Amino acid sequence: MARSFKETLNSGKFVVTAEVAPPKGTNLKKTVEHIDLLKERVDALNVTDNQSSVMRFPSLGTTVLIKECGGEPILQMTCRDRNRMALQSDLLFAYTRGIRNVLCLTGDHITVGDHKEARAVFDLDSVQLLHLVRTMESGKDFSGNDLDGGVEFCAGAVVTPEADPIEPQLIKFDKKVQAGAGFFQTQAVYDMDNFKRFMEYAHQVDRNIKILAGMVLLASAGAARYMNEQVPGVFVPQDLIDELRSAPKGTALRKGIEITGRLIRQIKEEAICDGVHIMAIGREEVVPDIMVAAGL
Amino acid sequence: MIIAERKPLEDIKQMIAQYKKILLVGCGTCVTVCWAGGEKEVGILASQLRLAFRRDGGELETLEATVERQCEKEMVEELKDKIQQVEAVLSLGCGAGVQTIADRFEETPVYPALNTKFVGMPEREGLWIENCGACGDCFLDRTGGICPIVRCAKGLLNGPCGGTNKGKCEVDPEKDCAWTLIYRRLEKQGRLDLMRKYYPPRNFQAVVRPGKIEAQRV
Ligand code: SF4
Ligand code: SF4
């Protein structure tokens, strides 16, 4: 991948990123397979940071691995496990390893994960983390001390277009833009009319802001219902659930791939936003199929 | 006020299993109000412990006392005579009360019968909720009088996280999302501009733990 993610974002091309989940343990075989499968096909690979508060191989280590494999990584950083000092150290290290993209998140709460008794940190929130990145880029640390050798990142953030209520979410979106977020990755979106409404707002805030629509693969009608019931800020319309349910036995995954592909195609053809971020959640091997279904 | 909760009887029993005679000390202030360590609870715990010891074939002798404010040195002084008659003290005060007795009567082991939980207020009869984390740098002027430090599960200062769900918190679907409450209140007051402002990270030096304040007399 010759082009940096930042260049890709600014090139006007329809951007495609995919998510890589680090293993629970040191067996990196599957992770490397996924990296090799996807690194030439997508514009960047985004690595989750102890996703859902489940302890795993680090996001930072996996982004280094992607770099070694010749891919373009996006480092996800949450505020749940590290205070402002540890976050800065990790950013310094990341920069020296050629990592240039960072996605700033607050992070899920400890209590939803597999170390429920641990202490949650949240020394910073996502907006403050964006400020931290921008401060470090100015050559200073977050306490105002000079850095010997600086950093430069393409910093992004997340937004939930289907949040209920939406107004506080939009205020926070605005604050993230002000804090210097260069791109946004959204929570999963399925209802394109709702998403278009969100995009109108986003463009009012900043005409040039780059938005990648979150595409989470639905592998069954049950999974879709689960998303509606259990995942905050996600709405799967009933007709998509019905479509998945009507798929002949054993073909629901194929149907899900087809649906995701169709949504991506619509986003691209109607130029609803700047690209997509594909989350196949444990089924990374089907990402190329989704891209084929999307005509990418 | 300070909200506390009694430890399970079994845990208390194990803590004092080696003694034959103890003094139970209640406190007449916060823990009386939250039904955890007042005179009445002292009496109940004393008889529960005596009964539990007897059931195991042992014997426990108990003395009882309740001081007005267990966190004040001068006030625990009155325990002196009773403490001389026992092997150990079981305090039903908050953590500050336990330590006040332990500091004043250094020869005698003092055990906590309560878990001190939080600074809270009664929501209704028998229900207390945490509303302030004693962060040392009160933020309520910017949030319509709703504390984001403890009422938001993540203590966020710049708005809701992605886990907020129809007004509830990702951590507990029974709990209101503090940031939705803050949004609604500021909206009602026409002060949403406060929410649009950027707030830098908290200053954890606002209270250097352990906290210490020397007041100026006026
Ligand atoms: S901001 Fe919250 S925790 Fe801090 S002093 Fe005010 S009410 Fe207490
Ligand atoms: S859902 Fe609301 S209260 Fe809960 S952590 Fe997120 S912002 Fe805080």
Side-chain angles (χ1 to χ4, degrees):
Chain A
M1 224 168 297
R3 227 173 7 188
S4 76
F5 183 57
K6 194 172 186 173
E7 286 164 356
T8 310
L9 279 176
N10 292 324
S11 69
K13 166 190 185 299
F14 188 74
V15 180
V16 180
T17 62
E19 196 152 285
V20 177
K24 178 109 187 161
T26 54
N27 181 355
L28 292 164
K29 193 165 160 282
K30 227 175 153 190
T31 311
V32 172
E33 275 168 25
H34 290 153
I35 294 169
D36 283 336
L37 175 72
L38 299 175
K39 67 183 183 197
E40 302 294 341
R41 289 184 161 89
V42 300
D43 297 304
L45 288 167
N46 198 314
V47 190
T48 50
D49 176 15
N50 287 339
Q51 192 175 24
S52 306
S53 307
V54 171
M55 193 285 298
R56 289 170 173 278
F57 192 79
S59 165
L60 183 56
T62 312
T63 52
V64 170
L65 190 64
I66 292 171
K67 204 72 203 165
E68 286 165 4
C69 294
E72 175 72 350
I74 300 174
L75 172 67
Q76 289 198 13
M77 273 196 148
T78 71
C79 301
R80 177 193 53 238
D81 309 325
R82 284 161 294 185
N83 69 6
R84 63 194 91 173
M85 289 185 73
L87 289 164
Q88 290 179 91
S89 307
D90 280 0
L91 284 169
L92 292 177
F93 174 79
Y95 186 79
T96 64
R97 290 299 179 276
I99 291 150
R100 294 292 180 266
N101 315 299
V102 53
L103 188 77
C104 302
L105 308 106
T106 297
D108 294 324
H109 199 272
I110 283 279
T111 52
V112 306
D114 71 348
H115 280 61
K116 295 190 197 303
E117 297 189 346
R119 179 171 189 154
V121 179
F122 299 116
D123 183 26
L124 305 187
D125 62 31
S126 51
V127 183
Q128 293 158 347
L129 179 56
L130 284 161
H131 274 273
L132 176 145
V133 172
R134 294 300 175 228
T135 306
M136 289 177 80
E137 285 177 336
S138 75
K140 304 267 189 202
D141 71 12
F142 212 31
S143 257
N145 305 300
D146 289 333
L147 293 174
D148 178 12
V151 299
E152 212 189 316
F153 288 105
C154 174
V158 294
V159 63
T160 306
E162 295 273 9
D164 179 12
I166 186 70
E167 297 85 356
Q169 180 71 199
L170 295 178
I171 290 175
K172 195 155 186 188
F173 171 75
D174 214 330
K175 285 168 95 161
K176 288 177 176 179
V177 174
Q178 303 298 329
F183 70 99
F184 280 82
Q185 180 177 304
T186 77
Q187 172 60 289
V189 288
Y190 297 97
D191 185 307
M192 287 303 127
D193 290 335
N194 289 351
F195 185 51
K196 281 180 200 167
R197 260 194 298 279
F198 166 76
M199 284 305 302
E200 266 171 40
Y201 177 85
H203 283 147
Q204 275 167 29
V205 171
D206 183 346
R207 281 198 55 75
N208 296 315
I209 194 72
K210 306 288 178 198
I211 308 250
L212 309 182
M215 293 282 122
V216 172
L217 172 68
L218 296 172
S220 66
R225 273 195 307 271
Y226 176 85
M227 295 276 278
N228 270 348
E229 283 157 22
Q230 302 293 333
V231 186
V234 176
F235 167 63
V236 187
Q238 191 57 41
D239 54 334
L240 290 187
I241 300 178
D242 293 341
E243 197 181 336
L244 282 161
R245 193 185 298 119
S246 67
K249 212 174 155 29
T251 65
L253 179 60
R254 281 245 61 84
K255 195 49 151 186
I257 292 170
E258 183 192 315
I259 289 172
T260 311
R262 193 171 72 215
L263 290 171
I264 296 174
R265 187 191 296 262
Q266 185 187 356
I267 291 170
K268 187 177 179 196
E269 281 171 3
E270 298 181 25
I272 300 174
C273 67
D274 306 276
V276 289
H277 171 60
I278 303 171
M279 293 166 269
I281 311 192
R283 293 197 169 79
E284 283 71 16
E285 59 285 349
V286 307
V287 172
D289 301 335
I290 295 174
M291 294 179 70
V292 170
L296 292 167
Chain B
M1 88 184 155
I2 308 249
I3 309 299
E5 199 177 41
R6 210 187 77 188
K7 286 178 181 281
L9 183 66
E10 193 49 39
D11 292 7
I12 300 175
K13 201 181 117 200
Q14 299 223 331
M15 268 190 300
I16 56 153
Q18 54 184 308
Y19 302 115
K20 298 239 163 350
K21 190 172 180 185
I22 64 164
L23 169 67
L24 288 86
V25 186
C27 173
T29 312
C30 307
V31 294
T32 294
V33 182
C34 70
W35 309 354
E39 197 172 350
K40 185 171 151 209
E41 289 78 23
V42 166
I44 294 170
L45 179 59
S47 58
Q48 283 177 330
L49 284 171
R50 284 193 307 267
L51 212 72
F53 269 62
R54 209 165 308 145
R55 214 180 303 124
D56 293 351
E59 198 62 51
L60 179 73
E61 208 183 317
T62 57
L63 299 185
E64 297 174 23
T66 297
V67 292
E68 195 184 330
R69 282 198 296 280
Q70 213 183 95
C71 57
E72 292 198 24
K73 259 193 244 162
E74 293 73 18
M75 293 196 177
V76 300
E77 197 57 44
E78 70 185 53
L79 299 170
K80 199 170 165 193
D81 289 346
K82 282 185 174 157
I83 286 183
Q84 273 165 0
Q85 303 169 45
V86 297
E87 297 161 89
V89 172
L90 183 58
S91 160
L92 284 84
C94 72
V98 178
Q99 294 185 61
T100 306
I101 302 178
D103 283 347
R104 170 59 190 84
F105 303 101
E106 277 189 317
E107 320 279 283
T108 312
V110 182
Y111 294 87
L114 306 186
N115 288 321
T116 305
K117 295 288 190 176
F118 50 79
V119 178
M121 55 169 256
E123 169 114 323
R124 56 171 159 78
E125 171 121 325
L127 176 69
W128 291 273
I129 52 167
E130 182 176 19
N131 269 356
C132 170
C135 76
D137 190 8
C138 196
F139 202 78
L140 290 174
D141 54 314
R142 284 146 281 181
T143 51
I146 295 165
C147 173
I149 306 287
V150 287
R151 293 178 69 182
C152 164
K154 298 175 188 172
L156 306 179
L157 297 186
N158 284 294
C161 74
T164 174
N165 201 5
K166 300 181 181 68
K168 297 295 172 185
C169 174
E170 87 175 17
V171 169
D172 175 2
E174 302 281 302
K175 188 185 105 54
D176 290 328
C177 166
W179 274 103
T180 307
L181 295 178
I182 293 169
Y183 170 78
R184 298 227 186 281
R185 178 146 323 152
L186 291 177
E187 185 190 32
K188 201 180 285 174
Q189 299 178 349
R191 297 203 296 161
L192 278 176
D193 54 309
L194 283 172
M195 198 166 154
R196 293 202 179 90
K197 277 200 193 115
Y198 167 67
Y199 298 109
R202 281 173 63 191
N203 167 15
F204 283 88
Q205 276 210 309
V207 183
V208 178
R209 307 280 172 185
K212 186 171 152 188
I213 289 178
E214 182 125 40
Q216 305 294 321
R217 273 208 185 278
V218 283

